[in-house]
Amino acid sequence: TWLAFSALLFPDSTFFNVLAVFIAVIACLLATALLVLYGAKIIIMGPLRFLDDLWTNPNVSSRLVFFTMTLMSIAFTLAYTHLYWLAAVLWVVGVVGHVAILCVFLTQAVRMGIDDIDDITAAWVMPTIGLAMASGSGIAIGFGGWVTTFFWLALLSALLFFPIAVYRIYVKEPAMHEGLVCTNVVLLAPPALLFIEYLSVGGHRWQFFPFTHVLYFSILCVAVLVAFSAPQIIRLEYNTTTACMTFPLAFAAKATIMFWFGYMSDDRYLSWLFLLPAVLLFLLANAIVGYVCVRFVTAIVHWHTNRAGEDEEEGGAVPGGLEGGEGGKKRAGAQGAARLGA
């Protein structure tokens, strides 16, 4: 998003271009660190247990695709810095992993059937829609026009899964738990990502239909739906689902910037009507990303500090108490994990 922001709004500014590349590199490093942490989590919990959860729980597979989408995003950024060979390797790994997880997810969805629609969350649209990311990143790396197939597959699947998710969240009862209301913002991601990838594969040059406008105004329609959840989101305290708002807002901001640049920047009257929301979305996305990062780091430091203090306290109470040191460590670890989850 920063790369698009600087390239389209400030193409002649060395400061913004350097800042965008710097932020992109930092983002890649942080994303790589998180991927390593997630891999360590899988090893700690046990690969067999993880595979069992992946095969039986669609919520696991619908969230795991963010792992592969992150790999494709890193590959795109590496291609921007001309590290094409490394970008190609990460892209292939990401695409193969995404397709494998998508197959597992579709198997679970077919097995569950329409009777279990109450279990659907907004994240369920991402395994199919996320496949579109393979098209734009593949073009940037240099894999050729055949990667546009991923876009069309994602678009066709969106026509099925996206309406079901919208119906479940905004029409069908029982209503979703209040703590999950932040996940409703994820619904912004499918139309925004499809719009971005459609332009990335050169769809705007195909004059058979003004499909770019259809995709963009679908973003606006979904934004109106999401806006109904805004009062609940504002009242909520920070929780882990707050992070769900980061990437949809970033996608929407990038899509709005691209739409403004491609179709409205030369319009004397409508230019500011689209540029202002683009900048506001961009600032909001950055603010939420920064807020989530600060709260995440703070929670880890707080958990680690409390755990270390409680371990020392329990260890000092061993001679006069009934609990052993190992029991105290387990209890302190459980208490610390509970605080981190809260």
Side-chain angles (χ1 to χ4, degrees):
T1 303
W2 266 93
L3 293 175
F5 180 80
S6 65
L8 300 183
L9 270 68
F10 304 99
D12 299 325
S13 173
T14 303
F15 171 76
F16 277 103
N17 288 331
V18 172
L19 179 62
V21 172
F22 174 76
I23 291 177
V25 171
I26 294 298
C28 283
L29 294 176
L30 291 175
T32 302
L34 289 175
L35 292 179
V36 171
L37 288 175
Y38 197 85
K41 175 184 176 181
I42 294 175
I43 295 175
I44 292 173
M45 72 179 292
L48 293 180
R49 178 186 170 187
F50 169 76
L51 290 175
D52 182 65
D53 289 343
L54 175 63
W55 182 250
T56 58
N57 189 351
N59 289 320
V60 174
S61 55
S62 64
R63 291 194 298 264
L64 191 62
V65 294
F66 292 104
F67 185 97
T68 56
M69 291 173 65
T70 301
L71 286 177
M72 288 184 273
S73 180
I74 294 175
F76 174 81
T77 305
L78 291 175
Y80 189 85
T81 57
H82 304 292
L83 294 175
Y84 293 107
W85 64 272
L86 182 57
V89 172
L90 292 180
W91 186 88
V92 171
V93 173
V95 171
V96 171
H98 195 101
V99 171
I101 297 171
L102 176 60
C103 291
V104 173
F105 174 79
L106 293 176
T107 301
Q108 294 166 336
V110 172
R111 189 168 60 232
M112 291 178 63
I114 198 67
D115 294 334
D116 295 316
I117 193 174
D118 288 344
D119 296 329
I120 293 177
T121 66
W124 281 38
V125 301
M126 294 312 299
T128 51
I129 302 300
L131 193 62
M133 188 173 284
S135 57
S137 57
I139 289 289
I141 296 170
F143 278 105
W146 66 272
V147 296
T148 57
T149 305
F150 293 116
F151 170 82
W152 295 111
L153 289 175
L155 177 63
L156 291 175
S157 63
L159 298 177
L160 173 63
F161 282 92
F162 189 71
I164 294 175
V166 172
Y167 173 76
R168 160 64 187 92
I169 294 171
Y170 288 101
V171 180
K172 194 175 187 301
E173 297 291 341
M176 189 173 295
H177 187 273
E178 188 181 29
L180 297 176
V181 71
C182 289
T183 62
N184 294 354
V185 184
V186 174
L187 293 176
L188 273 175
L193 181 59
L194 287 173
F195 176 86
I196 294 169
E197 300 305 328
Y198 186 68
L199 292 184
S200 298
V201 300
H204 57 290
R205 294 192 294 268
W206 306 332
Q207 300 300 323
F208 65 94
F209 190 72
F211 194 52
T212 50
H213 291 66
V214 173
L215 287 174
Y216 182 75
F217 284 105
S218 66
I219 300 174
L220 299 181
C221 293
V222 175
V224 173
L225 282 178
V226 173
F228 286 111
S229 304
Q232 294 175 277
I233 294 174
I234 293 174
R235 290 195 303 266
L236 283 178
E237 295 183 0
Y238 174 82
N239 60 75
T240 53
T241 63
T242 306
C244 294
M245 298 191 297
T246 55
F247 70 93
L249 291 175
F251 286 157
K254 183 176 180 179
T256 304
I257 293 172
M258 295 173 71
F259 184 81
W260 167 82
F261 180 80
Y263 301 99
M264 297 296 172
S265 59
D266 295 330
D267 193 295
R268 182 177 179 181
Y269 301 102
L270 295 179
S271 177
W272 286 99
L273 183 63
F274 286 86
L275 179 59
L276 184 59
V279 174
L280 291 177
L281 275 174
F282 176 78
L283 295 176
L284 179 61
N286 280 276
I288 291 179
V289 169
Y291 173 71
V292 170
C293 289
V294 170
R295 291 301 300 263
F296 180 74
V297 173
T298 303
I300 291 178
V301 172
H302 181 70
W303 169 72
H304 185 271
T305 303
N306 283 347
R307 181 177 180 180
E310 291 178 3
D311 282 348
E312 292 178 2
E313 182 180 343
E314 291 294 334
V318 169
L322 297 177
E323 291 184 349
E326 188 63 29
K329 290 180 181 179
K330 290 182 178 180
R331 189 181 72 174
Q335 291 172 344
R339 290 192 183 92
L340 179 58

